[in-house]
Amino acid sequence: MSIFDKKLADKLKIIYNKLLPLKGFRAINLFGIIFVRKEFRTLDKRVLNHEYIHTKQIMELLFVGFYIWYVAEWLLKWIIYKDRMLAYRNICFEREAFDNDDNLNYTKSRKDFTFLKYLKK
């Protein structure tokens, strides 16, 4: 594990299990706790950074607000795109996280509520 992985992993509570997230996904961030499917025994720094970006978003919207917005936007995008995965990839929170998960310094310079810039037509 690199120094980055160790420092970030120390900031995140990670639980490996068989149930969460659903098959096809590697990790899910629930209230700042990262649940990882057991078959993905290690998370690379990109995935850790992606989930840490979500932790920042979750805190900005006071936890519950994040999940209400997330589900509402996903449902709306599912209606628009008629494709669940395309809807997921176009949620503003996911767009911000996917666009920046390879920038390991992103959360240090990220301004609050940056996900708003990722709202799409």
Side-chain angles (χ1 to χ4, degrees):
M1 185 176 281
S2 74
I3 292 172
F4 171 83
D5 295 342
K6 178 75 173 114
K7 287 173 77 175
L8 189 51
D10 288 346
K11 289 182 184 180
L12 300 171
K13 173 71 176 161
I14 301 172
I15 298 174
Y16 292 89
N17 69 94
K18 294 179 182 179
L19 301 175
L20 290 173
L22 298 174
K23 283 194 176 200
F25 293 92
R26 185 177 311 186
I28 187 169
N29 189 329
L30 297 176
F31 301 97
I33 301 170
I34 313 304
F35 291 88
V36 182
R37 291 195 66 88
K38 278 195 180 231
E39 58 262 30
F40 298 103
R41 199 59 194 144
T42 59
L43 295 178
D44 61 30
K45 55 186 144 192
R46 185 193 60 77
V47 175
L48 288 170
N49 197 41
H50 181 101
E51 295 305 331
Y52 190 55
I53 293 167
H54 284 322
T55 298
K56 296 286 194 179
Q57 297 164 339
I58 289 165
M59 292 185 326
E60 289 166 358
L61 291 173
L62 305 175
F63 297 88
V64 174
F66 172 85
Y67 296 102
I68 292 169
W69 184 328
Y70 193 103
V71 170
E73 187 174 351
W74 178 75
L75 287 170
L76 178 63
K77 301 261 170 111
W78 188 11
I79 291 167
I80 292 168
Y81 295 120
K82 298 172 181 37
D83 181 306
R84 291 179 301 167
M85 287 305 292
L86 189 57
Y88 156 75
R89 288 296 295 230
N90 280 285
I91 295 168
C92 64
F93 304 115
E94 294 299 341
R95 292 180 69 222
E96 179 189 11
F98 278 115
D99 279 359
N100 297 288
D101 59 14
D102 60 341
N103 177 354
L104 303 182
N105 294 310
Y106 179 70
T107 57
K108 292 177 185 164
S109 62
R110 178 188 180 271
K111 297 196 181 339
D112 289 346
F113 301 99
T114 299
F115 61 84
L116 292 172
K117 293 179 183 177
Y118 289 86
L119 284 171
K120 197 173 175 183
K121 9 177 180 328

